[in-house]
Amino acid sequence: MNGTHERQTDVLVLGGGFAGTRCAARLEKLLPKDRQITLLSSENYFVFQPLLPEVVGAALAPTHVVCPLRHLLRRTHIVRGDITAIELAPQDAAFAGTAVLAVEGLDAPVRIRADHLVVALGSVVDVTRIPGMTEHALQMKDVADALTLRHTILTRLERAAVVDDEAEQKALLTFVVVGGGFSGVETAAEIHDLVHGAMKFYPTLRDRPRKVVCVHSHQQILPELDERLGAHALKVLSKRGVEFRLGERTRAASREGVHLQSGALIPCRTIVCTVGNAPHPVLAPLADDKGRLVADGNLRALGRERVWAIGDCARIPDGRGGISPPTAQFATRQGDVAADNIAAALAGRALKEFRHKSQGQLATLGHQNAVAALGRLRVTGFLAWWMWRTIYLAKLPRFDRKLRVVLDWTLNLFFPRELTAMSTATHGDQPTIHLEAGEKLFDQGDPSTAFYLVHSGQIELTRCDKDGKVCGTDRLGPGEHFGEGSLLRSKVRTTTAVAVEPSTVLSFPARQFRALTDNFKGLRSLLEATSRRFSPADSIVPAWVPAERLQMPVSSLMTPDVVTLRPDATLRDALTSFLGRGVNSFPLTDDDFRLVGIVTSTDLFGALRRDVDLEQRIFTFCTTRVQCVSHDAPVARAIEIMRRRDVKHVVVTDANERVVGIVSIKDVLAKVLTIDLAARR
Ligand SMILES: Cc1cc2nc3c(=O)[nH]c(=O)nc-3n(C[C@H](O)[C@H](O)[C@H](O)COP(=O)(O)OP(=O)(O)OC[C@H]3O[C@@H](n4cnc5c(N)ncnc54)[C@H](O)[C@@H]3O)c2cc1C
């Protein structure tokens, strides 16, 4: 349904996390009944993030660490949707601004204007900084992440129980957590407990090597705590079998595992990334150079009277000479103070200063063990674990949630952990795959499960004959596709695909591919044509052409006097050569006569149609990925290249890769076919 959706409210809280929920709850108490409070959040529930690792470890049910916002905030209008923009009002306006929201199922955005705007959008995890993390790592931010991770771990165990290949089994039983902060260490401990607890139900895996590895760039884990507690946590977890790779940075993640900066690879099939906390992208236009909203001591942001910023998305003085850390403890206190100050501003009273000192930090290590720093007190072991449970239970909102969590914890004392691998995701759908140089996507003979599109990098396809001798290779770059032939015909891979450099490919599962090609006949014919990339030349030329003719060296039919251009030639130079010499394509060569690109008449006409400046260098629009053929290769090879690439010319090079000629389809037809035509009647 089209149309605009405009709303107005007195106080608009953006975000339903620790800071936003606490602020709205306090506003409900402080503001008179005729003041309207609205809270926008992408989910309709509040997540108690410190308990997420226990969901991974199946110690708690996922619904027990969340609480519906409508249960928590009875007076507040809750609107669920994704905030896409925040438009601030002019400085002198009587309102703060407008939040623009995309709501599932509505075509037009919802716009909510507010007199007071509280920004509490938290932070996001930016995994794009490490190549391959987006494609292969799981995160730990929301309850959906925790559930997906639990599901993934259990699925890996199921797979490991049936694979014969020892290396693959080892990789399936290796779980890598990147990051040794709170969420990294707690998650690693929970994964360890889940996997080891599950072993008695997987008899074939019981004596198989398995490990949980935590990669951390510093020497001390849990840097949020002091050195002694970090060292204690390290000792406890190492003794239990968690492996720590300290002082190591992750360079990339791929299908094969985690690649470290040191060059080492940890082969694994499960990666959890807990590093890369980043500023919220919606705030980018309003934020400082670190992407956070700068707030003053009263929590007012951007020098505005009616805009407030709290929680992880803001840079807030802690009132003691420092900056507030991104923790739940600070976020909730800021929520309280922001609510007090909004009530004060509406009533014309003086504002409060935010001032808070950390009351301590706790981290659970599983197995009834934890570390705690409470003021000057340092506690470890069972007592710290008991304190951890008691404190978080007290902080968990609502009595019914507390009861459910206590029940879960009690039942865990008597029953094994839940091993049901339940997921709402579509199994086997993996849209993008990152490969490091040399990594294999599939082997010739593997079953065909997907069709691929190269997004970045280069993939080499190699076909071998029955004796294992290479009989064809091809390199594909961005925008090119592969894998269609075996899906359309043979069902098993007819080539081996390996990344030549770090590459990302989009993968379309066989099911989707078939749905498309069965119904879209035009696409099917196109893919049928492109799928014959390794068709031998003798299946292309007529059968009556003698086989030895296809074995003639390319040098015997190439045009040796090739007209080349320098890469710094302009469009004008190329057109002059084109008009003067009547040649259709010009190889671009460097000082040593080595090929750097090719420009064809199609490129030149395309540039003229686009009205490209005649003085522009042709290197900017020529084709740089040019496949050439060696002067002593058989003609058959040149025909295969032209067919595979759908081009009419192939550049010929000598043993030093210098350009020595060009061969066109016309040359081939003239010399290979017409000789025989004369002999035929
Ligand atoms: C696994 C884990 C364990 C942790 N353990 C601890 C711990 O033990 N102790 C501790 O003090 N801290 C811990 N933290 C940190 C703590 O959870 C955060 O500091 C705290 O959640 C910050 O609160 P916030 O309200 O600023 O952000 P959040 O709680 O993240 O809330 C942000 C809200 O904004 C909403 N939102 C975001 N973008 C949009 C959008 N575009 N449109 C609509 N809504 C949006 C989200 O849905 C969410 O409701 C942990 C964090 C994690 C991930």
Side-chain angles (χ1 to χ4, degrees):
M1 210 174 74
N2 282 313
T4 49
H5 307 276
E6 301 274 351
R7 299 275 183 288
Q8 201 164 340
T9 188
D10 291 305
V11 183
L12 182 60
V13 181
L14 309 181
F18 278 92
T21 309
R22 185 62 166 256
C23 179
R26 192 156 171 84
L27 284 169
E28 286 189 357
K29 289 191 189 130
L30 297 175
L31 295 191
K33 293 276 176 277
D34 60 338
R35 295 280 187 186
Q36 194 189 80
I37 309 156
T38 304
L39 183 141
L40 309 186
S41 185
S42 47
E43 304 301 343
N44 77 344
Y45 51 80
F46 160 79
V47 184
F48 197 83
Q49 289 173 345
L51 290 182
L52 285 180
E54 297 233 342
V55 174
V56 175
L60 289 177
T63 47
H64 298 177
V65 301
V66 298
C67 188
L69 287 170
R70 289 173 198 278
H71 285 184
L72 286 176
L73 304 165
R74 306 300 285 265
R75 198 189 128 184
T76 304
H77 289 227
I78 308 290
V79 183
R80 184 185 173 192
D82 281 318
I83 298 159
T84 53
I86 300 169
E87 297 167 0
L88 292 186
Q91 277 282 12
D92 53 353
F95 66 103
T98 303
V100 185
L101 194 72
V103 177
E104 200 186 327
L106 293 185
D107 291 339
V110 175
R111 299 171 58 84
I112 305 179
R113 201 177 99 164
D115 289 350
H116 283 264
L117 206 53
V118 183
V119 188
L121 289 174
S123 58
V124 293
V125 174
D126 178 11
V127 287
T128 60
R129 295 176 202 166
I130 305 177
M133 280 288 175
T134 314
E135 294 84 9
H136 298 286
L138 301 163
Q139 297 180 20
M140 268 296 285
K141 198 75 184 146
D142 192 5
V143 70
D145 299 330
L147 254 185
T148 308
L149 177 53
R150 178 162 113 189
H151 171 81
T152 306
I153 295 166
L154 296 173
T155 308
R156 299 295 186 256
L157 296 186
E158 298 296 345
R159 204 178 296 166
V162 291
V163 296
D164 292 329
D165 181 338
E166 254 182 55
E168 178 61 14
Q169 190 182 56
K170 208 171 156 194
L172 283 164
L173 293 176
T174 301
F175 304 89
V176 179
V177 178
V178 178
F182 267 124
S183 63
V185 169
E186 291 185 342
T187 304
E190 284 295 332
I191 295 177
H192 177 275
D193 287 2
L194 175 67
V195 171
H196 285 257
M199 279 307 128
K200 67 174 168 203
F201 302 99
Y202 291 85
T204 55
L205 297 181
R206 234 174 267 162
D207 55 352
R208 309 310 301 159
R210 54 183 182 266
K211 61 181 173 182
V212 177
V213 184
C214 179
V215 182
H216 185 52
S217 55
H218 300 283
Q219 290 299 335
Q220 185 204 330
I221 61 166
L222 296 173
E224 301 91 335
L225 299 175
D226 69 25
E227 220 171 289
R228 196 165 66 85
L229 291 180
H232 178 81
L234 182 67
K235 197 168 132 199
V236 167
L237 290 174
S238 305
K239 204 165 151 200
R240 208 181 294 157
V242 177
E243 186 181 315
F244 285 91
R245 304 288 287 258
L246 300 182
E248 294 252 36
R249 282 188 180 275
T250 306
R251 182 177 60 77
S254 74
R255 263 164 61 107
E256 297 300 320
V258 172
H259 300 256
L260 303 178
Q261 298 252 310
S262 59
L265 165 73
I266 309 174
C268 66
R269 300 290 172 264
T270 313
I271 306 168
V272 190
C273 182
T274 65
V275 296
N277 258 4
H280 201 292
V282 168
L283 302 178
L286 310 173
D288 67 356
D289 56 357
K290 296 221 164 60
R292 300 215 285 175
L293 284 191
V294 180
D296 64 17
N298 303 123
L299 305 178
R300 279 188 304 206
L302 307 162
R304 306 276 177 140
E305 294 286 309
R306 296 156 181 267
V307 181
W308 311 81
I310 51 178
D312 286 5
C313 69
R315 187 179 150 82
I316 300 169
D318 63 4
R320 310 172 64 85
I323 296 296
S324 303
T327 64
Q329 196 187 117
F330 274 79
T332 45
R333 295 295 188 292
Q334 288 158 3
D336 281 341
V337 174
D340 288 347
N341 283 348
I342 292 168
L346 287 169
R349 295 194 309 269
L351 304 185
K352 258 189 192 171
E353 188 89 6
F354 173 74
R355 187 178 162 81
H356 181 67
K357 183 176 174 214
S358 172
Q359 292 180 340
Q361 296 281 13
L362 302 119
T364 170
L365 308 176
H367 267 51
Q368 306 192 335
N369 207 323
V371 285
L374 303 170
R376 292 195 177 170
L377 196 64
R378 299 288 176 267
V379 191
T380 58
F382 179 81
L383 181 61
W385 175 79
W386 180 83
M387 286 162 71
W388 180 88
R389 286 210 155 173
T390 314
I391 290 172
Y392 281 127
L393 198 61
K395 290 190 182 296
L396 200 64
R398 287 184 63 88
F399 178 70
D400 64 315
R401 298 290 138 173
K402 292 185 206 289
L403 193 61
R404 285 169 211 253
V405 166
V406 167
L407 271 176
D408 275 353
W409 281 342
T410 312
L411 292 174
N412 289 344
L413 298 174
F414 304 103
F415 300 106
R417 288 179 188 237
E418 182 58 74
L419 295 183
T420 312
M422 206 179 282
S423 164
T424 52
T426 320
H427 295 276
D429 288 2
Q430 190 181 28
T432 50
I433 297 172
H434 179 81
L435 300 158
E436 280 297 281
E439 285 186 357
K440 200 181 284 176
L441 186 62
F442 53 71
D443 254 324
Q444 189 168 342
D446 281 351
S448 306
T449 52
F451 164 68
Y452 301 97
L453 202 62
V454 183
H455 177 257
S456 62
Q458 262 197 79
I459 302 291
E460 184 168 78
L461 301 180
T462 311
R463 176 182 277 189
C464 293
D465 62 16
K466 278 195 239 89
D467 305 321
K469 217 176 106 207
V470 174
C471 57
T473 59
D474 197 8
R475 282 192 177 193
L476 305 178
E480 300 191 84
H481 61 267
F482 61 102
E484 70 279 19
S486 52
L487 283 172
L488 288 169
R489 286 186 301 276
S490 56
K491 313 289 182 235
V492 294
R493 295 291 178 203
T494 51
T495 56
T496 296
V498 175
V500 180
E501 58 190 53
S503 308
T504 303
V505 295
L506 306 183
S507 146
F508 299 88
R511 197 167 22 84
Q512 284 178 11
F513 178 82
R514 291 214 179 88
L516 263 177
T517 48
D518 288 352
N519 295 293
F520 188 175
K521 300 293 174 210
L523 179 68
R524 189 183 175 97
S525 328
L526 275 175
L527 291 170
E528 290 271 11
T530 60
S531 69
R532 300 187 187 278
R533 71 168 39 90
F534 289 109
S535 305
D538 57 8
S539 72
I540 298 164
V541 296
W544 45 263
V545 173
E548 63 272 17
R549 188 134 301 148
L550 296 175
Q551 295 310 314
M552 290 190 308
V554 169
S555 53
S556 66
L557 48 75
M558 70 183 188
T559 307
D561 297 324
V562 56
V563 182
T564 61
L565 286 170
R566 302 294 303 260
D568 57 356
T570 61
L571 175 57
R572 185 189 297 280
D573 299 333
L575 284 168
T576 312
S577 297
F578 172 73
L579 295 171
R581 312 233 194 167
V583 184
N584 266 334
S585 54
F586 305 95
L588 305 187
T589 53
D590 63 13
D591 288 344
D592 281 340
F593 233 67
R594 289 204 172 85
L595 191 65
V596 291
I598 192 162
V599 62
T600 63
S601 52
T602 315
D603 295 333
L604 297 180
F605 288 133
L608 286 178
R609 263 200 312 277
R610 292 196 310 277
D611 216 8
V612 170
D613 183 352
L614 289 183
E615 299 316 316
Q616 185 160 330
R617 290 169 57 188
I618 42 174
F619 192 63
T620 56
F621 58 82
C622 75
T623 307
T624 48
R625 286 190 64 245
V626 188
Q627 177 128 26
C628 29
V629 65
S630 173
H631 66 118
D632 53 5
V635 170
R637 174 84 184 122
I639 298 175
E640 281 164 17
I641 293 173
M642 283 190 259
R643 157 124 206 182
R644 195 177 305 154
R645 296 272 161 194
D646 196 19
V647 291
K648 295 192 178 65
H649 304 86
V650 182
V651 176
V652 184
T653 51
D654 65 11
N656 296 319
E657 294 180 2
R658 293 200 179 91
V659 174
V660 290
I662 193 160
V663 62
S664 70
I665 194 78
K666 219 169 65 193
D667 299 329
V668 174
L669 288 173
K671 295 208 177 135
V672 175
L673 299 183
T674 49
I675 302 169
D676 298 292
L677 264 184
R680 283 178 71 86
R681 307 178 117 251

